[in-house]
Amino acid sequence: MNLIKPDFTYCSDIKLIKRIEGSSRILEEFPDYLVDESRLSGNSVETIFFPETTSDVSAIMRDMHKRGLRGCVSGARTGVVGGAVAMNVDCVISLSGMNEILGFDNKSICAQCGVTLDELDKHISDNIPGMFYPVDPTETTSSIGGNVASNASGARTYYYGPTRNWVNAITVVLADGSVLDLKRGDVVADGRRFRIELPGQPETTFEFPNHKYPKVKNTAGFILAENMDAIDLFVGSEGILGIITKVDLRLIKKPSNRLYTVIWAESEKQSVDLVKAIRSSHILNMLAIEYFSPEAIAVLKQRRMYEGSSSTVAKIPYDAIAAIFIDCVYKDDSELSDISAELEIILHAQKRSLDNTWSGMNDSDLKRMKQLRHALPETINMIITERKKDNPNIHKLSTDFAVPDGMLETMLETYHKKLDKSGIEYVIFGHIGDNHLHVNMLPKTEKELLLAHELYVELAKDAVRLGGTIAAEHGIGRFKRHLMPIQYPPEMLDAMLELKNIFDPAGLLNPGVMLPD
Amino acid sequence: MKIVCLVKEVPDSEAKITVENGKIKETGVKFIVNPYDEYGIEEALKIKEAGGEHQVFILTFGTERAKKVMESAMALGADEGFLVADGSAPDCDSHTTAKVLAAALNKIGFDMIFCGKQAIDDDSSQVGVRVAEMLSLGHASVVNKFELTDGKVKVERQIQGGQEVIEMPVPCVITCQKGLNDPRYPSLKNIMAVKKKPRTVFTLDDIGLSADDVGVNGSFVEVTKFEPPLEKAPGRVIEGEPEDTAKELIRSLREEAKVI
């Protein structure tokens, strides 16, 4: 079946829904609800709603629809592209109170959208022994609704894929307040065509062009594919088609034996060669491959030197210039021996040895290694905070581009060539296994800041030219929609806009998010 | 020199500890080398790496399960591992644990002994010092600086208002404090090399002890039950004019919290 047909099954009394009213009071007492981690500044709003159920959200949207009010959909506000910033809206719909686990069995869990990843993990480990939800975005205080709406990913996406792969079912409240329950497999496109019947409206058809998406993880816009599931219109839709209120997620068996290893490399080239060898090995079963560039290692060494042995940054070997972190699964001791032997061969080919590694098998080992990774953005933010003292406009710019296999080295070369020429300080790190590296630009002056913004667009074009994406995991939000035409031809952008107009013709949900004007 | 590092198996500092029927529930909990013991191992390895004829041994007392932790400790670069394995280990108090370790030390021989200043599970801070007393050795605890020259150790420990400097001959027992050094991470090479290194498992009989010496029989202290810490009640903000809030604060501290 290819018919998407929401209805008005349940709806609360709008008067009974918790809220805070008054734009000056909100600005004064609840400014946090107007912004997210992007640090974009928002405007105040007349009302912040705190729904507790799908019926509440339905009532809110019905009321807003009647009055033509625009709303900002707000989860845990951990996004970095301004998706939850109250900008040009009349109210904020905060889903933070929708934090109940609704049910579970031994292979799935159903939760309200406001449940955080931490709460989800805790519930699973307390109640469903041996199972886990494998997607691991860095921000564990993010809400699961936000994760689904932004198709979030993490280090382990290398192995398990992004959030999309783990969504069994969702409940969505649309702009008119109608409710749509979607189970994976129930509504599937007929080729590139969906039929949509909104309550009280004639049936419409949504047909989309054939488009070759980059062969990388990608959160730029809608992913419209032949015979796609209707769920996937909403996963990654950044709240512009509807409000996801309930999600049902697939769980899998937690791998019991894990080997965590940091490999210290002598150069970037060596790191890339190591990654290539690791990826093509049939013996190594990697959940994640992460990278620390020479600039990143230098920043960490500097902080360690400055803070001494009380630093949260471990003492990095003096001959380490760059590093790779790998998270590997093994069945038993014999498989562990095979992994070690394979890594030895791979390292030997690069004139390195197993001596140039840190390894561990326990959660506390992982925590120690993760500290290195966490210390990096932390240190970068410290540097920027220092610079802000001289010029409050200064901020870092973080890229989120990914390129297809085989293009990693070209992209790295481009980064270095253009960034070195600009003179702007930068640090590169991230998900090298997915050819997805974050470049953090750290401008010192207003002039450099301007240049960094220009360079950002230029590098986005380079990534797309190499067959990559402008937004591998952070999404588009309000921050990057000007980059969308770089990645998509006009007919694709038109199709995305048409989809938005079918579900939300008045533009009430998250105006200014994802789609360019 | 035979340098022996005493190591205790403790729950992973990242593990979630739950108590059931007055006992700690161990399913799903991973066990690690007591982090303070790692400072001792690091110091021993530094002596070895500085040159000379030295060997670093790991000695632990626990159930059969502790073999894994002994191997983890060896993976830092030790030469040989010893485990005194006995089911009574969880019921042993500090005195009995020290008795077992001292007996094992006599069996394997030693020129220098390191251990952590305390274990992160029971925080008793006694075993290292008791071992030294039982073997009639000099000892210094909570050490944050260590030097060894010509068979003499010079250590420093933080005391109120300054550093205490102690010199003594080897063999002696040093219990190690954070800041003494930077414990290394095991390399994958050393983790794999453990399987090729000598590892000995002793029974009580092997070290000249019997069931009467250990567990509940040999201990002065018996743990009767565990209780999880009370959940902290949420804080309360007292609002109003300073005069009233001060009165309300005193009243709550006296009548509700009953601390004054």
Side-chain angles (χ1 to χ4, degrees):
Chain A
M1 194 188 70
N2 69 341
L3 177 68
I4 302 174
K5 192 178 173 186
D7 53 32
F8 284 112
T9 38
Y10 28 79
C11 186
S12 311
D13 181 351
I14 178 77
K15 292 190 210 91
L16 301 178
I17 293 164
K18 278 192 210 162
R19 71 193 74 188
I20 301 167
E21 282 178 325
S23 78
S24 53
R25 177 173 177 225
I26 288 171
L27 194 62
E28 228 167 80
E29 294 176 40
F30 303 95
D32 288 355
Y33 285 100
L34 304 173
V35 292
D36 64 12
E37 280 297 309
S38 68
R39 314 278 162 98
L40 274 179
S41 32
N43 314 109
S44 194
V45 291
E46 276 308 317
T47 316
I48 304 176
F49 287 106
F50 293 95
E52 287 172 2
T53 60
T54 299
S55 303
D56 288 358
V57 178
S58 169
I60 293 166
M61 283 321 300
R62 234 162 110 148
D63 185 59
M64 283 173 55
H65 188 249
K66 210 161 57 190
R67 300 198 284 153
L69 299 180
R70 292 159 306 165
C72 167
V73 188
S74 172
R77 303 185 311 277
T78 54
V80 293
V81 291
V85 175
M87 209 184 255
N88 305 320
V89 289
D90 306 295
C91 52
V92 167
I93 303 148
S94 170
L95 304 165
S96 54
M98 296 186 61
N99 46 16
E100 262 181 62
I101 302 283
L102 300 168
F104 60 88
D105 57 27
N106 59 3
K107 52 186 192 314
S108 70
I109 186 162
C110 182
Q112 279 192 309
C113 56
V115 170
T116 65
L117 282 182
D118 279 333
E119 289 161 355
L120 192 77
D121 277 350
K122 187 176 177 316
H123 192 88
I124 296 168
S125 69
D126 286 356
N127 298 291
I128 321 174
M131 301 298 280
F132 88 136
Y133 174 66
V135 191
D136 63 335
T138 317
E139 194 50 80
T140 54
T141 58
S142 58
S143 69
I144 192 64
N147 274 256
V148 174
S150 63
N151 189 26
S153 54
R156 293 199 293 257
T157 292
Y158 175 67
Y159 186 78
Y160 294 111
T163 304
R164 188 185 299 283
N165 301 9
W166 302 92
V167 181
N168 286 330
I170 54 173
T171 297
V172 193
V173 176
L174 301 177
D176 60 0
S178 60
V179 178
L180 184 59
D181 285 305
L182 284 173
K183 216 170 111 200
R184 194 171 282 285
D186 279 359
V187 183
V188 176
D190 177 10
R192 293 194 301 278
R193 202 168 66 98
F194 278 110
R195 290 183 300 134
I196 298 158
E197 191 188 329
L198 299 177
Q201 307 264 341
E203 186 188 302
T204 45
T205 306
F206 171 61
E207 212 160 347
F208 50 91
N210 190 11
H211 178 73
K212 256 172 97 181
Y213 283 87
K215 286 199 177 80
V216 293
K217 60 179 181 180
N218 178 20
T219 56
F222 296 108
I223 311 301
L224 305 172
E226 209 155 303
N227 304 326
M228 69 182 291
D229 198 293
I231 274 196
D232 292 322
L233 291 175
F234 294 92
V235 177
S237 65
E238 302 193 11
I240 71 169
L241 296 186
I243 302 175
I244 296 169
T245 56
K246 195 169 102 179
V247 301
D248 189 272
L249 302 164
R250 185 161 63 93
L251 307 176
I252 54 159
K253 225 174 143 203
K254 190 175 184 170
S256 54
N257 293 325
R258 306 260 292 274
L259 171 72
Y260 312 108
T261 301
V262 176
I263 301 173
W264 301 107
E266 294 165 307
S267 67
E268 181 155 286
K269 189 182 175 310
Q270 191 179 59
S271 311
V272 172
D273 288 341
L274 284 167
V275 169
K276 282 200 281 189
I278 289 168
R279 280 200 303 210
S280 56
S281 161
H282 299 297
I283 290 166
L284 303 175
N285 208 355
M286 295 291 161
L287 298 190
I289 312 178
E290 299 280 304
Y291 178 55
F292 296 78
S293 72
E295 301 83 23
I297 293 296
V299 161
L300 289 174
K301 278 184 172 173
Q302 234 167 27
R303 172 152 170 212
R304 164 77 197 199
M305 208 160 77
Y306 182 70
E307 293 180 343
S309 60
S310 62
S311 175
T312 49
V313 180
K315 195 173 167 189
I316 296 168
Y318 73 96
D319 65 339
I321 304 296
I324 302 162
F325 165 77
I326 53 178
D327 178 349
C328 190
V329 178
Y330 66 96
K331 273 205 280 301
D332 48 27
D333 278 357
S334 119
E335 206 171 286
L336 182 62
S337 300
D338 294 346
I339 290 169
S340 151
E342 177 80 349
L343 279 173
E344 193 163 14
I345 294 167
I346 289 172
L347 281 161
H348 186 76
Q350 293 296 323
K351 300 198 169 49
R352 298 295 273 174
S353 81
L354 289 180
D355 280 329
N356 306 113
T357 60
W358 285 355
S359 275
M361 283 96 159
N362 293 315
D363 291 349
S364 51
D365 298 317
L366 176 65
K367 194 185 171 197
R368 283 208 263 188
M369 292 181 204
K370 270 197 167 170
Q371 249 162 21
L372 270 184
R373 172 67 174 80
H374 287 171
L376 196 53
E378 204 179 277
T379 316
I380 289 166
N381 289 340
M382 279 158 67
I383 296 170
I384 286 292
T385 308
E386 228 11 74
R387 287 183 190 166
K388 262 186 190 294
K389 285 181 189 160
D390 292 332
N391 185 342
N393 291 333
I394 296 289
H395 59 88
K396 73 169 179 190
L397 276 88
S398 169
T399 75
D400 184 33
F401 315 135
V403 292
D405 283 349
M407 290 299 168
L408 176 64
E409 281 157 294
T410 319
M411 194 68 218
L412 268 168
E413 266 167 40
T414 311
Y415 285 148
H416 288 299
K417 208 171 98 194
K418 295 196 171 167
L419 288 157
D420 287 343
K421 196 176 150 213
S422 75
I424 299 168
E425 192 183 345
Y426 66 95
V427 175
I428 300 176
F429 58 92
H431 318 302
I432 198 166
D434 285 320
N435 310 307
H436 172 210
L437 295 170
H438 297 298
V439 179
N440 278 198
M441 292 185 249
L442 316 175
K444 288 192 188 74
T445 60
E446 201 105 1
K447 202 177 142 200
E448 279 194 351
L449 182 66
L450 214 66
L451 190 60
H453 277 283
E454 281 169 24
L455 207 52
Y456 197 106
V457 175
E458 205 177 306
L459 292 172
K461 286 179 184 163
D462 290 326
V464 171
R465 203 172 302 132
L466 295 174
T469 174
I470 54 169
E473 67 177 356
H474 293 165
I476 296 294
R478 287 180 170 79
F479 218 56
K480 296 182 181 172
R481 59 192 188 119
H482 64 293
L483 302 177
M484 284 286 277
I486 296 176
Q487 185 166 336
Y488 294 109
E491 66 271 20
M492 271 311 280
L493 292 174
D494 287 346
M496 291 185 195
L497 197 63
E498 189 195 332
L499 181 64
K500 163 76 174 171
N501 285 336
I502 290 172
F503 282 104
D504 181 16
L508 305 180
L509 284 168
N510 277 357
V513 167
M514 191 204 284
L515 299 175
D517 288 330
Chain B
M1 213 164 67
K2 267 190 189 175
I3 310 170
V4 184
C5 303
L6 308 183
V7 162
K8 184 179 182 185
E9 175 200 63
V10 295
D12 192 337
S13 45
E14 292 303 301
K16 201 183 76 181
I17 305 292
T18 46
V19 177
E20 218 176 65
N21 306 326
K23 282 199 166 136
I24 289 172
K25 207 175 147 194
E26 291 188 340
T27 40
V29 175
K30 285 199 173 184
F31 290 86
I32 59 166
V33 173
N34 172 37
Y36 286 110
D37 297 343
E38 289 185 2
Y39 295 100
I41 301 171
E42 179 63 31
E43 211 54 36
L45 293 171
K46 275 166 69 179
I47 295 172
K48 187 184 162 181
E49 284 162 0
E53 286 288 303
H54 304 299
Q55 277 179 301
V56 177
F57 291 175
I58 301 295
L59 170 60
T60 185
F61 169 43
T63 59
E64 280 286 339
R65 186 186 64 200
K67 200 169 169 195
K68 252 193 141 153
V69 157
M70 173 192 76
E71 290 175 350
S72 300
M74 289 174 71
L76 292 164
D79 300 292
E80 217 175 314
F82 298 90
L83 162 68
V84 182
D86 196 74
S88 68
D91 299 323
C92 287
D93 65 2
S94 306
H95 164 77
T96 316
T97 303
K99 192 159 68 180
V100 171
L101 290 171
L105 280 160
N106 275 330
K107 171 102 182 171
I108 58 186
F110 56 86
D111 297 298
M112 179 74 222
I113 298 163
F114 286 105
C115 63
K117 66 155 181 154
Q118 70 193 78
I120 60 160
D121 54 356
D122 62 12
D123 287 332
S124 91
S125 314
Q126 295 185 35
V127 170
V129 175
R130 282 179 183 269
V131 165
E133 288 296 326
M134 285 173 189
L135 297 172
S136 303
L137 301 176
H139 56 81
S141 44
V142 202
V143 165
N144 59 17
K145 208 169 166 204
F146 176 90
E147 260 175 61
L148 173 74
T149 31
D150 306 326
K152 235 184 170 175
V153 301
K154 185 174 156 191
V155 300
E156 290 185 23
R157 55 197 298 270
Q158 206 168 22
I159 54 168
Q160 202 162 16
Q163 283 280 107
E164 184 181 28
V165 182
I166 300 171
E167 284 187 2
M168 59 186 154
V170 291
C172 57
V173 177
I174 304 295
T175 84
C176 305
Q177 165 70 316
K178 200 175 169 180
L180 174 65
N181 53 42
D182 247 321
R184 68 194 61 192
Y185 284 74
S187 70
L188 187 53
K189 185 178 175 179
N190 281 338
I191 291 177
M192 300 314 293
V194 168
K195 304 276 178 211
K196 291 173 198 142
K197 286 178 180 171
R199 289 159 293 157
T200 310
V201 179
F202 290 134
T203 60
L204 289 177
D205 196 37
D206 291 335
I207 56 169
L209 294 177
S210 73
D212 290 338
D213 298 313
V214 296
V216 187
N217 305 333
S219 294
F220 298 114
V221 178
E222 189 189 342
V223 177
T224 49
K225 100 175 174 193
F226 285 99
E227 268 177 28
L230 286 177
E231 287 229 7
K232 217 174 129 191
R236 181 155 71 90
V237 177
I238 302 172
E239 281 177 286
E241 292 302 312
E243 246 174 67
D244 305 328
T245 52
K247 272 187 203 145
E248 173 58 16
L249 176 66
I250 299 293
R251 191 201 63 76
S252 334
L253 289 174
R254 187 166 286 152
E255 290 170 21
E256 288 172 31
K258 297 194 172 86
V259 289
I260 55 171

